[in-house]
Amino acid sequence: MDIININTKNRFDIIDITSQVQSCITNADVKSGIAVIFIPHTTAGVTINENADPDVTFDLKNIFNNLIPEKNNYRHIEGNSQAHALSTLTSPSLTVIIENGKIMLGTWQNIYFMEYDGPRNRKAYIQIINK
């Protein structure tokens, strides 16, 4: 298992981790198999989305913030209820296919770490399974 360390800078951050996941695969010398990306945090997640237009991540932040506002008479004492709710909209894990030593993604797809309660020092666990 590999660990990717992620340092977020904002309360709500979207960070491209595709190259770090690919580095784990390259270092494992796996040509065909799967990689599981697991985020061990209750106020963060992982997703796959478009990498070509930075306005996509801007729009995602706006959509998520409008869907689940930061302040809304929440009862959770820590004050980060929005972060917990948003993390349920994205998954704590993804599985991607590895073929010819590369992550199989669509033309415009990348893997994104979703921070909802930053800034923080976070981790992503990467488990690579050889075919």
Side-chain angles (χ1 to χ4, degrees):
M1 179 185 67
D2 289 300
I3 299 172
I4 298 172
N5 292 303
I6 304 162
N7 297 312
T8 65
K9 299 190 180 356
N10 300 301
R11 181 186 62 80
F12 192 151
D13 240 344
I14 301 176
I15 299 171
D16 186 346
I17 61 169
T18 310
S19 63
Q20 293 98 316
V21 174
Q22 182 60 56
S23 290
C24 294
I25 293 166
T26 301
N27 292 340
D29 197 30
V30 171
K31 301 302 177 206
S32 182
I34 60 172
V36 178
I37 301 106
F38 177 72
I39 308 302
H41 307 288
T42 61
T43 57
V46 64
T47 192
I48 293 175
N49 215 304
E50 181 178 330
N51 64 15
D53 182 354
D55 285 337
V56 171
T57 56
F58 178 86
D59 290 344
L60 283 173
K61 287 180 186 179
N62 281 336
I63 291 165
F64 277 37
N65 279 321
N66 287 327
L67 189 61
I68 303 172
E70 184 177 3
K71 305 290 183 205
N72 195 17
N73 296 319
Y74 302 122
R75 295 176 63 177
H76 182 45
I77 195 165
E78 289 180 27
N80 61 353
S81 288
Q82 180 201 35
H84 288 290
L86 289 173
S87 74
T88 66
L89 298 179
T90 53
S91 179
S93 68
L94 287 175
T95 302
V96 292
I97 298 169
I98 302 165
E99 197 56 51
N100 297 317
K102 303 283 183 203
I103 303 168
M104 297 282 297
L105 291 171
T107 302
W108 306 113
Q109 290 183 321
N110 273 7
I111 302 167
Y112 292 95
F113 176 85
M114 305 291 286
E115 171 66 75
Y116 304 119
D117 193 27
R120 292 189 183 233
N121 297 322
R122 302 291 201 163
K123 295 185 182 316
Y125 296 133
I126 313 300
Q127 182 70 55
I128 299 168
I129 302 166
N130 200 358
K131 179 175 168 187

